[in-house]
Amino acid sequence: MRVLLASPRGFCAGVNMAIESLELAIRVFGVPLYVYHEIVHNRHVVESFCRKGVVFVEAVAQVPEGATLLFSAHGVSPEIRQNADRRHIRTIDATCPLVIKVHREAIRFSREGYSIVLVGHEGHDEVVGTMGEAPHAMHLVETEEDVDRLEFPAGAKIACLTQTTLSVDDADRIVRRLKTRFPQLVAPSRGDICYATQNRQEAVRALSPEADVVIVLGSQNSSNSRRLQELAAQCGVPAYLVDSVADLQPDWLRNNHTVLVTAGASAPESVVRQCVDHLRNRYNATVEIRSICDEQVHFPLPRGLPAVQL
Ligand code: SF4
């Protein structure tokens, strides 16, 4: 077996920042410490923080008054922040700066009187947060068919934003359809799909043709991980999204296979390592690291966290 280990893969700068923020917050404020929704969409990461005493909540009402609450990398709507303030909860905002950028664009477009078409997945934490910045102006679309159903008055000002973790190809198709239907559409000069999503997709696109099977490490509720699996499948290669090596099925793999291994932006490197070690031990695999670009992106820790060395 030959393993192609895709690079870049795994944790992005936003996920690193959110996890470091939570580790530091535990040291500074102690536990129980509350996190609004999953810190990142990965079962291993969430379970490891649960073991340390972190409590993940679905509503601000679940957080006791005066406690500490961390907002995850996906961001929250202003309503959630206001609810936390009303309950005198100390908040730490670990929203990824690239998600904050989309929130700011939503605020700006809505102030300037635009109707905003948000391309994204209904119910995803990031989409809920972004829509909450300008709820009266927002129209969510997931498909080209959704675009066809949109109706705006003649001459309406229309802007477009996207979720940061979409398929680049799907988003391109949807935005093209939007521009065909609404030629006056404006969009941020550089799209909203983040560098990490684009790079991981680009690596899968470049390397899948060499592979017999693609293994994506990541959780089922991780948008960017699912997009990697879909992209590999669109390249004509059987592709599987697994949380860990324990989910690998022997009948997916053969000794003479070339296996492309990658990981979504919320999947820790430890699960990649375990997977590669398993392929080495079980199939005598040789491993080639295949890098399509170098990532040097780091985000500062959020305000509200004292400067304590981890
Ligand atoms: S996937 Fe992109 S937008 Fe999401 S946390 Fe990572 S860098 Fe930020």
mmCIF file of all heavy atoms in Angstrom, residues 12 14-15 96 98-99 164-165 194-195 265, ligand 1:
data_model
loop_
_atom_site.group_PDB
_atom_site.id
_atom_site.type_symbol
_atom_site.label_atom_id
_atom_site.label_comp_id
_atom_site.label_asym_id
_atom_site.label_seq_id
_atom_site.Cartn_x
_atom_site.Cartn_y
_atom_site.Cartn_z
ATOM 1 N N CYS A 12 -6.820 24.379 11.228
ATOM 2 C CA CYS A 12 -6.562 25.686 10.612
ATOM 3 C C CYS A 12 -6.220 26.674 11.730
ATOM 4 O O CYS A 12 -6.298 26.346 12.920
ATOM 5 C CB CYS A 12 -7.814 26.148 9.886
ATOM 6 S SG CYS A 12 -9.214 26.262 11.029
ATOM 7 N N GLY A 14 -7.909 29.244 12.760
ATOM 8 C CA GLY A 14 -9.068 29.573 13.597
ATOM 9 C C GLY A 14 -9.322 28.502 14.648
ATOM 10 O O GLY A 14 -9.620 28.805 15.813
ATOM 11 N N VAL A 15 -9.181 27.254 14.261
ATOM 12 C CA VAL A 15 -9.386 26.144 15.196
ATOM 13 C C VAL A 15 -8.261 26.136 16.239
ATOM 14 O O VAL A 15 -8.510 25.982 17.441
ATOM 15 C CB VAL A 15 -9.461 24.812 14.414
ATOM 16 C CG1 VAL A 15 -9.256 23.616 15.340
ATOM 17 C CG2 VAL A 15 -10.791 24.716 13.686
ATOM 18 N N CYS A 96 -13.552 32.803 14.946
ATOM 19 C CA CYS A 96 -12.464 32.955 13.982
ATOM 20 C C CYS A 96 -12.535 34.337 13.321
ATOM 21 O O CYS A 96 -13.612 34.774 12.902
ATOM 22 C CB CYS A 96 -12.573 31.875 12.905
ATOM 23 S SG CYS A 96 -11.347 32.080 11.605
ATOM 24 N N LEU A 98 -11.900 35.188 10.469
ATOM 25 C CA LEU A 98 -12.429 35.120 9.102
ATOM 26 C C LEU A 98 -13.955 34.997 9.110
ATOM 27 O O LEU A 98 -14.612 35.348 8.131
ATOM 28 C CB LEU A 98 -11.787 33.956 8.340
ATOM 29 C CG LEU A 98 -10.258 34.080 8.244
ATOM 30 C CD1 LEU A 98 -9.670 32.908 7.480
ATOM 31 C CD2 LEU A 98 -9.873 35.398 7.588
ATOM 32 N N VAL A 99 -14.515 34.523 10.208
ATOM 33 C CA VAL A 99 -15.974 34.536 10.367
ATOM 34 C C VAL A 99 -16.417 35.948 10.771
ATOM 35 O O VAL A 99 -17.418 36.463 10.259
ATOM 36 C CB VAL A 99 -16.415 33.485 11.414
ATOM 37 C CG1 VAL A 99 -17.905 33.594 11.695
ATOM 38 C CG2 VAL A 99 -16.049 32.076 10.944
ATOM 39 N N THR A 164 -17.973 30.240 5.286
ATOM 40 C CA THR A 164 -16.521 30.123 5.028
ATOM 41 C C THR A 164 -16.077 28.720 4.617
ATOM 42 O O THR A 164 -14.966 28.559 4.119
ATOM 43 C CB THR A 164 -15.723 30.493 6.299
ATOM 44 O OG1 THR A 164 -16.165 29.645 7.361
ATOM 45 C CG2 THR A 164 -15.903 31.939 6.674
ATOM 46 N N THR A 165 -16.928 27.709 4.852
ATOM 47 C CA THR A 165 -16.468 26.324 4.675
ATOM 48 C C THR A 165 -17.194 25.594 3.548
ATOM 49 O O THR A 165 -17.307 24.375 3.568
ATOM 50 C CB THR A 165 -16.657 25.537 5.993
ATOM 51 O OG1 THR A 165 -18.001 25.735 6.440
ATOM 52 C CG2 THR A 165 -15.695 25.990 7.061
ATOM 53 N N CYS A 194 -12.793 30.481 3.275
ATOM 54 C CA CYS A 194 -11.514 30.825 3.905
ATOM 55 C C CYS A 194 -10.346 30.080 3.259
ATOM 56 O O CYS A 194 -10.541 29.087 2.549
ATOM 57 C CB CYS A 194 -11.568 30.551 5.405
ATOM 58 S SG CYS A 194 -11.418 28.816 5.792
ATOM 59 N N TYR A 195 -9.140 30.565 3.547
ATOM 60 C CA TYR A 195 -7.927 29.982 2.953
ATOM 61 C C TYR A 195 -7.810 28.494 3.288
ATOM 62 O O TYR A 195 -7.379 27.689 2.458
ATOM 63 C CB TYR A 195 -6.679 30.743 3.472
ATOM 64 C CG TYR A 195 -6.292 30.308 4.858
ATOM 65 C CD1 TYR A 195 -5.316 29.334 5.051
ATOM 66 C CD2 TYR A 195 -6.977 30.778 5.969
ATOM 67 C CE1 TYR A 195 -5.018 28.861 6.309
ATOM 68 C CE2 TYR A 195 -6.679 30.317 7.231
ATOM 69 C CZ TYR A 195 -5.709 29.363 7.396
ATOM 70 O OH TYR A 195 -5.428 28.875 8.644
ATOM 71 N N ALA A 265 -10.557 20.762 8.752
ATOM 72 C CA ALA A 265 -9.893 21.812 9.530
ATOM 73 C C ALA A 265 -10.131 21.686 11.030
ATOM 74 O O ALA A 265 -9.467 22.363 11.822
ATOM 75 C CB ALA A 265 -10.354 23.179 9.039
HETATM 76 S S1 SF4 B 1 -12.210 26.773 8.690
HETATM 77 FE FE1 SF4 B 1 -11.614 28.846 8.055
HETATM 78 S S2 SF4 B 1 -13.227 30.187 8.885
HETATM 79 FE FE2 SF4 B 1 -13.396 28.191 9.940
HETATM 80 S S3 SF4 B 1 -12.166 28.445 11.798
HETATM 81 FE FE3 SF4 B 1 -10.793 27.602 10.217
HETATM 82 S S4 SF4 B 1 -9.811 29.416 9.285
HETATM 83 FE FE4 SF4 B 1 -11.592 30.120 10.410
#
